[in-house]
Amino acid sequence: MAARIEDYALIGDMQTAALVSRDGAIDWLCLPRFDSPAVFAGLLGTDEHGFWRIGPADPDRPRDEGGVSGAARAHAATVFEESGELRILPPTAAAPAQPATRRSYRGDSLILEQEWDTSRGSVRVIDFMPPRHVSGGPHGGTTEPQIIRIVEGLSGRVRMRSALRMRFSYGRVVPWVHKVEDGENTRTVAVAGPDSVWLDGEADTYGRNLTTYADFTVSAGQRIAFALTWQPSHLGAPDQPNAEEALVDTEQFWREWVDQCTYQGPYREPVVRSLITLKALTYAPTGGIVAAPTTSLPEDIGGVRNWDYRFTWLRDAAITLSSLLRTGYRDEAGAWREWLLRAVAGDPENLQIMYGIAGERELTEATLDWLPGYEGSAPVRIGNGAAAQLQLDVYGEVVEALHLGHMTGLVRNDHAHVLQLRLISYLEQHWRQPDEGIWEVRGPRRHFVHSKVMAWVAVDRTIRMIEETPHEGPLDRWRDLRDAIHADVCERGYDPERNTFTQSYGSKELDASLLLIPQMGFLPPDDKRVIGTIEAIQRELMTPDGFVLRYPTSGDSEGVDGLPGDEGAFLACSFWLADDLAMIGRIDEARDLFARLLAIRNDVGLLAEEWDPKLKRQVGNFPQAFSHVPLIDTALRLTACGGVPGIPPLGG
């Protein structure tokens, strides 16, 4: 059984990422890209679906590895070739485990350090992924994805074990594992179809029980390194990495990147950790930003609300770039703008809400029946059928990001200007249509208020751009369009009896996306309709512990989103509420809510998509860009309000 979602930490190289649990197990890793099939998929099944654990060999309690699924058992045979003799080993599960005594990132980096105190001594495991194609480091860098794990003795002598179980294609394919002599070193390689993974280590390995093991003892001051490198299987062996040099280069990369941050306020620690997380979710070759590095971590434990987030949502990427721009990171903003222009190409009328990280359009949704799902939450999905939805709000988010780039001094790009004008021309013809909205409902289309508000934003920002620059456009016609959208929303999306805007035209339900109305400038914060909406959401969408639901759900029956089941509090919505409270002058209330949100980060500062108020745990894909972006935004707003806040410790 996988660990709790908040018990994982993230390591990555800006092209893919891995999740490392407190017991030293890497339970999720896709190679070579974020959206590639996983080679470690234990997160969504059992250890039989792939993991790599390094930790003390004499734990206080054994790791519960779960059973072997029928689908996995059908493929359960690992071939080891040693000394010219082929041996086929039967499937079993065995890997002791013990949670680390403490863990943290090394300074402002993505280098994870976990420490165990045992009766025989103390030991540290340093986990990281060297950034690929990074220039400027003293030792060059890597061109292929690598995970490097350095075991460092702190005191005494501690017996350690590395247990590596590779399962390609999301835990379904068992590789051919054999050893290769390479100069003076013996390397272990696992091959399955087009993929190969090479294990290098400073301890002898052996195969047993479908797993590659290394047993060794580490003394105080001693360091023993392992590295796992992916390579296309038709190519020769990759270079053997130098773990210590890679560590120096990786730390230097993150130190220099963080030094560019312009935010120096009282919330610097959570802001910087969120920025590092957002950088880690950026696909460096193209500038695309994934919503999360995982698929199918459930919004409702045991339920069906399980989605693949390893793609670039225009909305999520646009708001991410907004936060990066306001904290000094223009290069990332420029790279995303170029990605957007390539993805949309010459067809903005057929704008998708999401694309692949290189701009791919086909994101066909499928289910992986051989994976039981995180804590039994099935189905496990890859791809995302929502890519074909109509979500009018996306036009507003994209235009807002382009406008902010212009306002913060990004180099002018005439193609971006043309794209913006064509997006507005499309909206001019289609803004009156119903859509699936920001939450990607799988029920019938509706006239969602937030979608109309963001259509207004797109037109408003384009008018401002034309007014403030030499660019030209039909200003009078678009001013009339802006006024028409505004009047339509205020007439059809507002309930005067309750003094609140509603989720969609004619509905009674509320929606937390309405909290963005004052933040987008659609109405001023002191407008009675804005204040009434904020207070209505506090009454009707707040959980007992003071966080905000996206909208009402209906338990076992289908709700407005077309799905059964409930979900946790969507964390972005609670940050939006804190922003609104600050905007209407309720600063102490805003700071209190922000402090409670910071307190539910895990011990290394990461947030999933949602918080389950009943189970008191994080749920949904992890870590989630759409949670860390509003954290940054709220920190900036509260910093502007002045005063010295109280910041809770990591892990609450």
Side-chain angles (χ1 to χ4, degrees):
M1 187 175 182
R4 290 166 66 100
I5 291 171
E6 57 264 45
D7 285 341
Y8 286 98
L10 177 77
I11 58 174
D13 64 358
M14 281 80 70
Q15 296 192 41
T16 190
L19 295 186
V20 188
S21 74
R22 289 179 184 271
D23 67 7
I26 299 175
D27 287 330
W28 183 254
L29 172 66
C30 298
L31 293 172
R33 305 189 341 170
F34 290 109
D35 55 355
S36 299
V39 66
F40 301 144
L43 178 71
L44 300 178
T46 71
D47 280 354
E48 190 56 38
H49 299 107
F51 73 97
W52 183 16
R53 179 191 169 273
I54 296 180
D58 303 309
D60 297 328
R61 59 176 179 77
R63 177 178 173 87
D64 179 7
E65 301 209 354
V68 181
S69 70
R73 189 177 296 278
H75 296 274
T78 299
V79 180
F80 287 87
E81 184 179 350
E82 297 178 354
S83 303
E85 179 184 358
L86 291 176
R87 295 187 292 127
I88 299 178
L89 303 177
T92 60
Q98 169 181 342
T101 308
R102 56 194 163 270
R103 66 174 182 172
S104 64
Y105 286 112
R106 177 181 288 190
D108 292 332
S109 79
L110 209 61
I111 300 168
L112 180 68
E113 298 183 330
Q114 300 199 102
E115 297 179 3
W116 285 261
D117 295 335
T118 75
S119 58
R120 295 177 175 85
S122 298
V123 65
R124 174 186 296 138
V125 176
I126 304 167
D127 291 329
F128 64 99
M129 297 184 71
R132 287 179 251 173
H133 305 289
V134 172
S135 61
H139 306 107
T142 180
T143 59
E144 301 297 348
Q146 290 179 346
I147 289 182
I148 294 180
R149 315 191 75 179
I150 300 173
V151 182
E152 179 182 10
L154 300 178
S155 65
R157 286 172 53 84
V158 182
R159 293 178 60 242
M160 299 290 290
R161 167 168 286 185
S162 167
L164 171 63
R165 183 173 294 167
M166 292 170 282
R167 295 292 182 268
F168 291 80
S169 192
Y170 300 102
R172 183 173 59 174
V173 176
V174 178
W176 170 44
V177 180
H178 57 289
K179 291 190 175 182
V180 174
E181 299 299 325
D182 188 358
E184 298 180 356
N185 300 306
T186 300
R187 311 177 75 182
T188 300
V189 59
V191 178
D195 301 300
S196 70
V197 174
W198 295 73
L199 174 67
D200 294 288
E202 298 170 354
D204 293 335
T205 63
Y206 61 95
R208 191 185 72 200
N209 303 334
L210 294 171
T211 306
T212 299
Y213 289 99
D215 294 325
F216 56 98
T217 299
V218 62
S219 303
Q222 185 180 9
R223 290 161 75 100
I224 296 175
F226 297 85
L228 199 69
T229 306
W230 178 90
Q231 177 94 319
S233 60
H234 65 277
L235 299 181
D239 293 339
Q240 297 186 42
N242 184 310
E244 297 296 343
E245 290 182 355
L247 178 61
V248 170
D249 290 351
T250 302
E251 187 170 10
Q252 176 178 315
F253 168 83
W254 286 110
R255 181 173 60 251
E256 292 177 352
W257 189 82
V258 169
D259 283 347
Q260 301 173 52
C261 179
T262 57
Y263 176 76
Q264 300 295 331
Y267 297 107
R268 182 171 171 80
E269 178 273 316
V271 166
V272 168
R273 179 50 53 194
S274 293
L275 287 169
I276 290 171
T277 303
L278 297 177
K279 178 66 171 175
L281 298 181
T282 302
Y283 184 63
T286 67
I289 302 171
V290 296
T294 56
T295 180
S296 299
L297 288 178
E299 299 167 7
D300 178 23
I301 299 291
V304 301
R305 296 169 180 263
N306 319 315
W307 316 107
D308 192 347
Y309 277 17
R310 298 171 299 154
F311 306 114
T312 300
W313 270 254
L314 295 187
R315 175 190 306 109
D316 297 39
I319 65 170
T320 297
L321 266 297
S322 170
S323 294
L324 290 169
L325 275 169
R326 288 186 289 148
T327 49
Y329 292 99
R330 293 186 183 180
D331 289 346
E332 286 74 12
W336 178 78
R337 187 175 66 182
E338 295 303 313
W339 174 90
L340 174 69
L341 294 173
R342 292 192 301 270
V344 177
D347 193 19
E349 290 79 12
N350 291 317
L351 186 76
Q352 293 188 179
I353 66 162
M354 73 180 85
Y355 296 85
I357 53 180
E360 300 90 344
R361 287 176 172 262
E362 300 301 323
L363 308 177
T364 304
E365 186 170 299
T367 59
L368 306 184
D369 296 336
W370 61 89
L371 287 174
Y374 180 85
E375 295 191 16
S377 304
V380 171
R381 295 181 174 94
I382 59 172
N384 200 304
Q389 288 186 350
L390 174 65
Q391 297 177 20
L392 292 172
D393 68 290
V394 168
Y395 292 82
E397 272 106 12
V398 169
V399 171
E400 171 78 344
L402 293 174
H403 177 71
L404 184 61
H406 165 71
M407 296 297 293
T408 53
L410 276 189
V411 176
R412 174 175 166 171
N413 185 307
D414 289 335
H415 296 295
H417 165 65
V418 172
L419 171 63
Q420 185 170 342
L421 296 183
R422 293 187 67 180
L423 293 177
I424 299 306
S425 295
Y426 176 86
L427 272 182
E428 192 171 13
Q429 301 299 318
H430 297 278
W431 72 269
R432 293 186 183 275
Q433 293 183 7
D435 69 340
E436 279 89 0
I438 182 176
W439 307 128
E440 300 174 1
V441 301
R442 303 226 168 178
R445 288 182 175 180
R446 300 175 181 231
H447 291 281
F448 287 103
V449 170
H450 174 260
S451 295
K452 309 299 186 188
V453 168
M454 293 310 296
W456 177 90
V457 168
V459 179
D460 176 74
R461 302 312 190 257
T462 303
I463 291 171
R464 292 193 201 178
M465 183 265 293
I466 294 172
E467 290 174 338
E468 297 165 0
T469 69
H471 296 306
E472 296 181 356
L475 272 179
D476 290 340
R477 192 175 84 224
W478 284 349
R479 286 171 180 147
D480 290 343
L481 173 63
R482 179 176 61 183
D483 293 344
I485 298 173
H486 197 281
D488 192 66
V489 170
C490 291
E491 178 183 351
R492 302 176 63 193
Y494 174 70
D495 182 346
E497 293 183 4
R498 297 159 64 206
N499 187 29
T500 181
F501 286 94
T502 59
Q503 182 180 59
S504 60
Y505 288 178
S507 72
K508 290 295 183 182
E509 294 91 357
L510 297 181
D511 191 305
S513 63
L514 301 169
L515 294 167
L516 295 173
I517 286 175
Q519 297 176 39
M520 292 295 105
F522 184 83
L523 286 172
D526 59 357
D527 189 289
K528 70 178 185 64
R529 293 165 293 184
V530 168
I531 296 172
T533 300
I534 295 170
E535 293 176 346
I537 287 172
Q538 286 183 299
R539 289 192 306 270
E540 299 184 28
L541 293 183
M542 292 280 278
T543 65
D545 48 3
F547 300 128
V548 182
L549 302 172
R550 289 191 288 184
Y551 46 78
T553 51
S554 303
D556 294 334
S557 61
E558 273 194 11
V560 65
D561 56 12
L563 295 168
D566 292 314
E567 64 173 15
F570 199 82
L571 293 176
C573 301
S574 297
F575 287 113
W576 295 343
L577 176 59
D579 276 318
D580 278 15
L581 291 171
M583 292 179 75
I584 64 174
R586 291 156 61 173
I587 306 298
D588 291 342
E589 198 174 340
R591 285 205 183 100
D592 177 68
L593 176 54
F594 190 53
R596 282 186 280 118
L597 285 162
L598 294 181
I600 63 173
R601 295 178 299 155
N602 74 357
D603 58 316
V604 290
L606 302 181
L607 288 170
E609 183 179 27
E610 300 183 4
W611 172 259
D612 189 314
K614 297 177 182 177
L615 299 177
K616 305 295 183 186
R617 56 183 294 193
Q618 295 191 32
V619 291
N621 282 306
F622 175 89
Q624 172 80 356
F626 211 32
S627 297
H628 284 279
V629 167
L631 183 157
I632 296 168
D633 293 345
T634 305
L636 295 177
R637 189 178 302 279
L638 291 177
T639 299
C641 293
V644 180
I647 302 178
L650 284 171

